[in-house]
Amino acid sequence: MARSALLNVMVQAAMKAGRRLSRDFGELENLQVSRKGPGDFVSNADYQAEKIIREELAKARPNFGFLMEESGEEEGRDKSHTWIVDPLDGTTNFLHGIPMFAISIALKHEDRIVAGIIYNPATDDLFTAERGRGAFLNDRRMRVAAREDFHDCVVATGVPHLGRGHHGRYLSQLEAVMADVSGIRRMGAASLDLAYVAAGRFDAYWEENLSPWDMAAGILMVREAGGFVSDMKGGEKMLETGGIVAGNEIIRKYLMRNLKRAQV
Ligand code: IPD
Ligand code: CA
Ligand code: CA
């Protein structure tokens, strides 16, 4: 499948930043790391990857704005287009030598995500999607899993940790879901959790307290792979509330039902 010019720009930026991340991943002992908050680390790898992505995207589309995890919001001359970027999703994995991390880049036009890519340089998995044009893993078209029985499902999630989230509420959600499914996974990179739902590897996924850059590209990817995404109340306010539930239509509904049972 020939990629559009837009996706090519995004892929090139991610590949370039990915080469830098791979180098840093191979020499973790030399990496400068600082703490943003309790249990929340940032490294020179995050900053360098973000710089490369910003430069590449700005070169190709000089007027677009940015919303980037490390450098924040920057309005462009073209106010209708914004890049939403997580230069390193899964920093905790990265810093522990666990090869489960990714670069996530989305493009928002007006209120819609129109393109998204998620790239794991450690596995060379490249997930891409464009609105109305499907979702792909490398060059293969992706479809969400077709399972309809919740008991057969593997469900991914994000577990709150030191300084983050409502631990009691999460435990009751987990209890309500785990009793009904074949397995629960906590991979540690929200963008990849969504990409894996799009690829049919995970049947469903939920998490709260996310930021727009964790999920913007992944939301489009799941939808373009035929899946459904909502916030924790079944609405469309994922980017605003930080909560997300994803899967095929039937399984997302089962997951919602179980999560509701747990709401405290
Ligand atoms: C984190 C990862 C993780 C999720 C956290 C995110 P970061 O992003 O996506 O899976 O559970 O809530 O903050 O900090 O590694 O970019
Ligand atoms: Ca992230
Ligand atoms: Ca990050």
Side-chain angles (χ1 to χ4, degrees):
M1 214 267 330
R3 266 185 213 128
S4 70
L6 177 69
L7 274 186
N8 270 331
V9 164
M10 297 165 76
V11 169
Q12 261 174 37
M15 292 284 172
K16 192 162 180 195
R19 284 194 289 278
R20 173 67 203 234
L21 285 181
S22 296
R23 214 167 69 215
D24 286 337
F25 192 61
E27 332 176 328
L28 286 176
E29 61 287 357
N30 298 330
L31 204 61
Q32 269 182 37
V33 182
S34 51
R35 198 188 291 266
K36 288 200 275 190
D40 190 7
F41 294 90
V42 62
S43 72
N44 206 31
D46 301 63
Y47 292 128
Q48 289 307 320
E50 185 161 298
K51 187 163 168 270
I52 292 168
I53 294 166
R54 201 201 165 289
E55 278 167 10
E56 291 296 308
L57 296 177
K59 219 192 295 166
R61 298 287 187 278
N63 295 333
F64 291 9
F66 285 96
L67 173 61
M68 308 190 92
E69 177 171 14
E70 310 306 339
S71 42
E73 220 170 337
E74 206 181 298
E75 205 172 73
R77 275 194 298 275
D78 174 348
K79 303 209 182 337
S80 65
H81 284 98
T82 309
W83 298 112
I84 304 179
V85 178
D86 191 337
L88 171 49
D89 185 39
T91 294
T92 305
N93 282 345
F94 185 91
L95 294 177
H96 285 252
I98 301 167
M100 196 67 197
F101 55 86
I103 290 162
S104 175
I105 305 175
L107 179 65
K108 194 162 102 176
H109 176 49
E110 309 289 358
D111 282 335
R112 281 192 174 142
I113 312 293
V114 293
I117 75 157
I118 295 167
Y119 177 54
N120 180 351
T123 58
D124 213 24
D125 276 346
L126 173 66
F127 303 88
T128 58
E130 230 176 326
R131 197 177 143 78
R133 303 183 68 174
F136 295 81
L137 165 51
N138 299 321
D139 285 323
R140 275 203 343 269
R141 181 127 196 180
M142 293 194 287
R143 292 291 304 168
V144 291
R147 281 183 200 86
E148 295 187 350
D149 189 338
F150 199 44
H151 297 337
D152 295 340
C153 288
V154 170
V155 177
T157 181
V159 183
H161 50 82
L162 175 65
R164 178 85 76 89
H166 190 310
H167 296 192
R169 173 179 155 89
Y170 180 77
L171 283 175
S172 68
Q173 289 176 348
L174 184 62
E175 193 171 22
V177 177
M178 71 184 180
D180 264 354
V181 297
S182 289
I184 299 273
R185 298 289 182 271
R186 196 308 185 227
M187 307 297 277
S191 60
L192 288 174
D193 290 324
L194 286 163
Y196 278 31
V197 171
R201 294 173 176 175
F202 292 146
D203 296 287
Y205 164 64
W206 95 93
E207 184 158 356
E208 291 188 272
N209 302 300
L210 291 174
S211 299
W213 45 81
D214 297 315
M215 53 177 158
I219 290 170
L220 179 69
M221 217 153 276
V222 171
R223 288 182 168 160
E224 286 297 323
F228 287 75
V229 181
S230 72
D231 60 33
M232 298 294 290
K233 292 188 171 152
E236 295 269 318
K237 294 195 172 3
M238 293 78 69
L239 298 185
E240 294 82 357
T241 61
I244 188 163
V245 187
N248 72 32
E249 189 177 13
I250 295 169
I251 296 303
R252 191 197 61 82
K253 280 190 184 146
Y254 276 118
L255 180 53
M256 287 289 299
R257 181 203 59 188
N258 283 45
L259 291 172
K260 268 197 191 124
R261 236 188 253 153
Q263 304 276 336
V264 286

